[in-house]
Amino acid sequence: MIYFLCFILFSIGIYGVLVKRNIIKLIISTMILNYAVYILLVLMGFRWQGQAPVFAADQGIGFMVDPLPQSMVMVSMIVGLAVTALLVAVAMRLYQEFKTFDLKAIIKTKIKNKPETDDNA
Amino acid sequence: MIELYILLILMIIGAVLALEIKDLLSAVIITGAVGLCLSAAFLLLKAPDLAMTQLIAEIVLVIILVRATISSDSRVEQSKRNHGTFVCVLISLSLFLGASGYVIAKLPIFGKPLMRISRTYLSEALFQTTVSNAVAAITLDYRIFDTFVALVALFTGVIAIMALSGPKSNNSNKK
């Protein structure tokens, strides 16, 4: 049941990527996709009455949650941060060029200016 | 575990709101709230390292996104919904959610992890690496090559960002 909520969150992200035309909304959708995958991986490693995977004097190994998904999510979180920052840089560059975040308007301007930009490209 | 359900449902409501609200700045702030809910959920799931990393990454991302949206004049999203696309996407997503039932049946039951590899890591990490945090031991010792390749990806992203945010090229000046 709790896995199903993660799948709902994931499908909301896919919906945003497919339907939205604004670049900021697309970046937000990819962030939501990231969050859904993180929480699903960490949920798969959870144990009832589990403890954090830190070795202490009075802590047995049998009661720890799974540390492997946690380390995988930690690495992918850093990469996700870099990817989202890259997307924001692309969005700001597009805004400098076209003065809008709307993808449809950008494509329209691109088609209108095509004879000029053909030589440069 | 009722609080975990509450946090996840809050995250879903926040995601829908962030995608459907018209003002872009509000959407960015709501995404920040979703990320903070995720951080609290990590804390409940006994992953304190992840909670701290998520907190920092979320705040950095919200600052970057606010910087991107606040300087723009067209801060309100103007979009007419294309009903054909909307219906197609909804139908395919409901098919996806229906098929996810089969996937969920194959996953390990919630609260009883498999731990086939991690059992070895947990029993040997303290003696082999002398690190008392198992997540740090796995990330920085057993799986250091994964971390290394991820860092290569990170620096590639940084190089691309620096290339993009430089001065305007000659092409754009001509227009």
Side-chain angles (χ1 to χ4, degrees), chain B residues 1 15 20 24 34 47 74 79 89 103 114 121 132 135 138 149 156 159 166:
Chain B
M1 276 282 108
E20 289 303 326
L24 288 181
V34 175
S74 58
S79 69
V89 167
V103 179
L114 279 178
Y121 286 159
S132 61
V135 178
I138 291 174
V149 176
T156 315
I159 290 170

mmCIF file of all heavy atoms in Angstrom, chain B residues 1 15 20 24 34 47 74 79 89 103 114 121 132 135 138 149 156 159 166:
data_model
loop_
_atom_site.group_PDB
_atom_site.id
_atom_site.type_symbol
_atom_site.label_atom_id
_atom_site.label_comp_id
_atom_site.label_asym_id
_atom_site.label_seq_id
_atom_site.Cartn_x
_atom_site.Cartn_y
_atom_site.Cartn_z
ATOM 1 N N MET B 1 3.077 3.516 11.949
ATOM 2 C CA MET B 1 3.675 4.197 10.807
ATOM 3 C C MET B 1 2.679 5.136 10.144
ATOM 4 O O MET B 1 2.743 5.376 8.947
ATOM 5 C CB MET B 1 4.140 3.144 9.781
ATOM 6 C CG MET B 1 5.512 2.581 10.095
ATOM 7 S SD MET B 1 6.867 3.681 9.633
ATOM 8 C CE MET B 1 7.436 4.255 11.217
ATOM 9 N N ALA B 15 2.835 17.971 -4.631
ATOM 10 C CA ALA B 15 3.269 17.818 -6.023
ATOM 11 C C ALA B 15 2.175 18.278 -6.983
ATOM 12 O O ALA B 15 2.437 18.998 -7.950
ATOM 13 C CB ALA B 15 3.645 16.368 -6.290
ATOM 14 N N GLU B 20 0.002 22.492 -10.682
ATOM 15 C CA GLU B 20 -1.219 23.098 -11.206
ATOM 16 C C GLU B 20 -1.354 24.577 -10.880
ATOM 17 O O GLU B 20 -2.182 25.253 -11.473
ATOM 18 C CB GLU B 20 -2.449 22.350 -10.670
ATOM 19 C CG GLU B 20 -2.624 20.972 -11.258
ATOM 20 C CD GLU B 20 -2.712 20.983 -12.771
ATOM 21 O OE1 GLU B 20 -3.257 21.944 -13.331
ATOM 22 O OE2 GLU B 20 -2.194 20.049 -13.389
ATOM 23 N N LEU B 24 4.576 30.954 -10.805
ATOM 24 C CA LEU B 24 5.765 30.099 -10.816
ATOM 25 C C LEU B 24 6.511 30.154 -9.493
ATOM 26 O O LEU B 24 7.041 29.141 -9.034
ATOM 27 C CB LEU B 24 6.702 30.523 -11.946
ATOM 28 C CG LEU B 24 6.233 30.182 -13.350
ATOM 29 C CD1 LEU B 24 7.255 30.636 -14.358
ATOM 30 C CD2 LEU B 24 6.009 28.703 -13.489
ATOM 31 N N VAL B 34 7.681 20.166 -0.405
ATOM 32 C CA VAL B 34 7.650 18.725 -0.697
ATOM 33 C C VAL B 34 8.988 18.083 -0.336
ATOM 34 O O VAL B 34 9.049 17.014 0.281
ATOM 35 C CB VAL B 34 7.304 18.492 -2.189
ATOM 36 C CG1 VAL B 34 7.400 17.023 -2.534
ATOM 37 C CG2 VAL B 34 5.926 18.996 -2.498
ATOM 38 N N ALA B 47 17.072 7.050 8.390
ATOM 39 C CA ALA B 47 18.169 7.374 7.483
ATOM 40 C C ALA B 47 18.623 8.805 7.748
ATOM 41 O O ALA B 47 18.338 9.701 6.962
ATOM 42 C CB ALA B 47 17.732 7.210 6.031
ATOM 43 N N SER B 74 7.714 37.443 -16.870
ATOM 44 C CA SER B 74 6.524 36.606 -17.094
ATOM 45 C C SER B 74 6.487 35.521 -16.037
ATOM 46 O O SER B 74 6.835 34.385 -16.279
ATOM 47 C CB SER B 74 6.578 35.993 -18.486
ATOM 48 O OG SER B 74 7.751 35.249 -18.609
ATOM 49 N N SER B 79 -0.983 29.007 -20.021
ATOM 50 C CA SER B 79 -1.053 27.803 -20.847
ATOM 51 C C SER B 79 -2.499 27.406 -21.031
ATOM 52 O O SER B 79 -3.275 27.372 -20.084
ATOM 53 C CB SER B 79 -0.282 26.666 -20.190
ATOM 54 O OG SER B 79 -0.953 26.250 -19.040
ATOM 55 N N VAL B 89 -2.735 11.208 -21.790
ATOM 56 C CA VAL B 89 -1.770 11.037 -20.703
ATOM 57 C C VAL B 89 -2.448 10.417 -19.489
ATOM 58 O O VAL B 89 -1.894 9.521 -18.836
ATOM 59 C CB VAL B 89 -1.128 12.397 -20.360
ATOM 60 C CG1 VAL B 89 -0.373 12.327 -19.062
ATOM 61 C CG2 VAL B 89 -0.200 12.816 -21.459
ATOM 62 N N VAL B 103 4.091 -5.141 -10.016
ATOM 63 C CA VAL B 103 5.459 -4.862 -9.551
ATOM 64 C C VAL B 103 5.509 -4.880 -8.032
ATOM 65 O O VAL B 103 6.422 -5.453 -7.432
ATOM 66 C CB VAL B 103 5.924 -3.498 -10.101
ATOM 67 C CG1 VAL B 103 7.312 -3.168 -9.628
ATOM 68 C CG2 VAL B 103 5.866 -3.501 -11.605
ATOM 69 N N LEU B 114 15.274 -7.576 2.236
ATOM 70 C CA LEU B 114 15.974 -8.803 1.837
ATOM 71 C C LEU B 114 17.325 -8.910 2.532
ATOM 72 O O LEU B 114 17.634 -9.925 3.133
ATOM 73 C CB LEU B 114 16.194 -8.786 0.324
ATOM 74 C CG LEU B 114 15.020 -9.213 -0.541
ATOM 75 C CD1 LEU B 114 15.414 -9.084 -2.004
ATOM 76 C CD2 LEU B 114 14.635 -10.635 -0.245
ATOM 77 N N TYR B 121 27.952 -6.819 4.657
ATOM 78 C CA TYR B 121 28.508 -5.501 4.933
ATOM 79 C C TYR B 121 28.387 -5.160 6.407
ATOM 80 O O TYR B 121 29.341 -4.694 7.029
ATOM 81 C CB TYR B 121 27.756 -4.435 4.122
ATOM 82 C CG TYR B 121 28.074 -4.401 2.649
ATOM 83 C CD1 TYR B 121 27.196 -3.812 1.758
ATOM 84 C CD2 TYR B 121 29.250 -4.942 2.159
ATOM 85 C CE1 TYR B 121 27.473 -3.762 0.406
ATOM 86 C CE2 TYR B 121 29.541 -4.903 0.819
ATOM 87 C CZ TYR B 121 28.658 -4.317 -0.054
ATOM 88 O OH TYR B 121 28.925 -4.256 -1.374
ATOM 89 N N SER B 132 32.250 3.706 11.997
ATOM 90 C CA SER B 132 31.112 3.280 12.795
ATOM 91 C C SER B 132 29.781 3.557 12.102
ATOM 92 O O SER B 132 28.752 3.054 12.521
ATOM 93 C CB SER B 132 31.135 3.963 14.158
ATOM 94 O OG SER B 132 31.049 5.347 13.982
ATOM 95 N N VAL B 135 26.506 3.486 6.501
ATOM 96 C CA VAL B 135 26.250 4.113 5.200
ATOM 97 C C VAL B 135 27.530 4.741 4.651
ATOM 98 O O VAL B 135 27.866 4.592 3.470
ATOM 99 C CB VAL B 135 25.133 5.170 5.344
ATOM 100 C CG1 VAL B 135 24.884 5.857 4.027
ATOM 101 C CG2 VAL B 135 23.861 4.524 5.820
ATOM 102 N N ILE B 138 29.859 1.988 3.400
ATOM 103 C CA ILE B 138 29.510 1.413 2.102
ATOM 104 C C ILE B 138 29.777 2.421 0.987
ATOM 105 O O ILE B 138 30.329 2.084 -0.060
ATOM 106 C CB ILE B 138 28.037 0.962 2.109
ATOM 107 C CG1 ILE B 138 27.882 -0.229 3.040
ATOM 108 C CG2 ILE B 138 27.581 0.582 0.717
ATOM 109 C CD1 ILE B 138 26.481 -0.655 3.219
ATOM 110 N N VAL B 149 32.379 7.383 -10.057
ATOM 111 C CA VAL B 149 31.724 7.667 -11.337
ATOM 112 C C VAL B 149 30.646 8.723 -11.155
ATOM 113 O O VAL B 149 30.467 9.612 -12.003
ATOM 114 C CB VAL B 149 31.152 6.354 -11.930
ATOM 115 C CG1 VAL B 149 30.394 6.649 -13.200
ATOM 116 C CG2 VAL B 149 32.273 5.403 -12.221
ATOM 117 N N THR B 156 31.082 16.848 -14.580
ATOM 118 C CA THR B 156 30.655 17.122 -15.952
ATOM 119 C C THR B 156 29.507 18.127 -15.964
ATOM 120 O O THR B 156 29.478 19.057 -16.775
ATOM 121 C CB THR B 156 30.218 15.825 -16.638
ATOM 122 O OG1 THR B 156 31.167 14.820 -16.361
ATOM 123 C CG2 THR B 156 30.105 16.011 -18.119
ATOM 124 N N ILE B 159 30.881 21.594 -15.276
ATOM 125 C CA ILE B 159 31.544 22.159 -16.470
ATOM 126 C C ILE B 159 30.489 22.664 -17.447
ATOM 127 O O ILE B 159 30.619 23.762 -18.014
ATOM 128 C CB ILE B 159 32.440 21.087 -17.122
ATOM 129 C CG1 ILE B 159 33.646 20.804 -16.246
ATOM 130 C CG2 ILE B 159 32.908 21.548 -18.491
ATOM 131 C CD1 ILE B 159 34.434 19.615 -16.693
ATOM 132 N N GLY B 166 28.405 31.508 -19.258
ATOM 133 C CA GLY B 166 29.425 32.455 -19.646
ATOM 134 C C GLY B 166 28.819 33.650 -20.364
ATOM 135 O O GLY B 166 27.603 33.803 -20.419
#
